[in-house]
Amino acid sequence: MDRLPLTMKRRSMLGVLAGAGAAALGLPLTLSATPLEKIKERGSLSVALYNEFLPFHDQGKGIDAELAGALAQALGVKLSVLPFPADESMSDDLRNMVWKGHYLGYGPADVLLHVPVDRPLIEENPQVNIFGPYWRERVAVARRLDAVPALESLSQLGKARVAVPGLSLAGWLLIGAEGGAYREQLVTTFKDGVQAAHALKNGEVPVAAGNLSELQSVLRGQSGIAIEPLPSPRAPRDGWAVGMAVKKDATELAQALQGALNDIAKDGRLAAMFDRHNVTWRPV
């Protein structure tokens, strides 16, 4: 004789009906799937990548594009790239691409790459989990050795013209250095450090400044050119690490991505990705 209480019978029947309805509609049976389980159910990892951001990503190519593909492969799913333009602040990008979505209707993605692993940023954005540093960026300067033999201080620039993107940390540091002493010799019309590096390579200027990755991607290995940290006391001494971000509750996904990143770094694939784009990778 069936002695189950009536309420338990009803709950059991409702569960069966819900499962049958979901199956009939072709929906997953797990109603409370974790973010990682949802990714595996749909068979793809959505990765947000900054656009027009060489050497890391532009039009589906770059270091971050390759890393995104390797992360998806490690999870056993396909890659779905969500390219987007940077907003006013990093917190805006985290809101639009990680935990809420953009008001124009795109996003969020499962994970955003190239996020500063920075304590104040982490504290300002409790909705996300920032982890997995894979690159340490620095403000750098490249120079032709025949024009500027040494550069232990900015005073050794002399009157040399310097190509630098005006709307960048390198530009801000040089424009304000020593009370604006170098403003007249700065060429600040460049979009980014990659363009500034090309100006040096093409002989337009003897010095270029920008992010280390930008300058190396164009100039690493060029004869007669040195690339080194910008000698400014206001520049971040150790640079800044960049990693990735997921929603705060996506703990299992974060652990899986961190494990995949560890493997990619350990077996040399990460260094090879950077090398293919002419950038020297070192452990963070």
Side-chain angles (χ1 to χ4, degrees):
M1 181 177 181
D2 189 351
R3 297 182 180 276
L4 283 175
L6 183 58
T7 53
M8 291 184 66
K9 289 181 180 179
R10 286 175 177 169
R11 288 174 185 169
S12 177
M13 182 59 67
L14 287 172
V16 171
L17 291 174
L25 294 173
L27 299 176
L29 297 180
T30 305
L31 300 180
S32 58
T34 67
L36 180 58
E37 289 170 341
K38 291 176 182 177
I39 288 167
K40 293 193 174 184
E41 284 174 352
R42 70 169 181 262
S44 65
L45 175 71
S46 174
V47 183
L49 300 178
Y50 286 100
N51 214 5
E52 297 184 353
F53 187 50
L54 291 173
F56 290 94
H57 177 252
D58 189 38
Q59 299 182 12
K61 298 181 179 180
I63 297 166
D64 281 353
E66 291 192 30
L67 176 57
L71 292 172
Q73 184 179 34
L75 297 186
V77 296
K78 295 180 180 179
L79 172 64
S80 175
V81 172
L82 181 55
F84 74 102
D87 211 316
E88 293 294 326
S89 72
M90 191 68 232
S91 291
D92 290 338
D93 294 339
L94 290 170
R95 181 190 65 243
N96 295 336
M97 307 312 299
V98 178
W99 64 270
K100 185 177 182 180
H102 199 280
Y103 68 88
L104 291 178
Y106 59 87
D110 298 314
V111 58
L112 167 62
L113 296 191
H114 222 92
V115 180
V117 184
D118 175 71
R119 179 55 57 186
L121 182 67
I122 292 170
E123 293 175 351
E124 291 170 9
N125 294 273
Q127 307 92 337
V128 303
N129 180 7
I130 299 173
F131 64 99
Y134 58 88
W135 168 246
R136 183 168 294 279
E137 192 63 271
R138 291 174 172 82
V139 182
V141 60
R143 58 190 167 89
R144 274 200 355 249
L145 294 174
D146 61 346
V148 182
L151 193 59
E152 297 176 1
S153 69
L154 291 178
S155 63
Q156 291 176 299
L157 284 172
K159 298 298 181 181
R161 296 173 72 232
V162 181
V164 60
L167 299 177
S168 69
L169 179 54
W172 178 77
L173 290 170
L174 285 170
I175 290 169
E178 299 177 25
Y182 305 98
R183 289 183 183 178
E184 296 301 317
Q185 63 200 82
L186 301 179
V187 185
T188 60
T189 55
F190 300 96
K191 180 183 71 172
D192 53 34
V194 171
Q195 285 190 353
H198 278 293
L200 190 158
K201 185 177 180 180
N202 296 336
E204 300 170 32
V205 294
V207 182
N211 289 342
L212 176 63
S213 60
E214 295 175 317
L215 300 182
Q216 280 196 346
S217 69
V218 177
L219 299 168
R220 190 184 74 159
Q222 293 287 310
S223 176
I225 291 178
I227 305 173
E228 54 208 1
L230 182 71
S232 168
R234 294 190 296 168
R237 182 175 180 180
D238 297 320
W240 60 96
V242 295
M244 58 189 90
V246 299
K247 288 181 181 178
K248 191 67 173 182
D249 63 355
T251 304
E252 188 182 16
L253 173 59
Q255 292 172 344
L257 291 172
Q258 181 68 69
L261 177 62
N262 292 346
D263 291 341
I264 294 166
K266 185 177 180 180
D267 65 16
R269 281 179 289 161
L270 187 57
M273 292 175 195
F274 277 82
D275 192 60
R276 278 192 290 272
H277 297 276
N278 209 32
V279 179
T280 302
W281 180 82
R282 293 184 177 86
V284 179

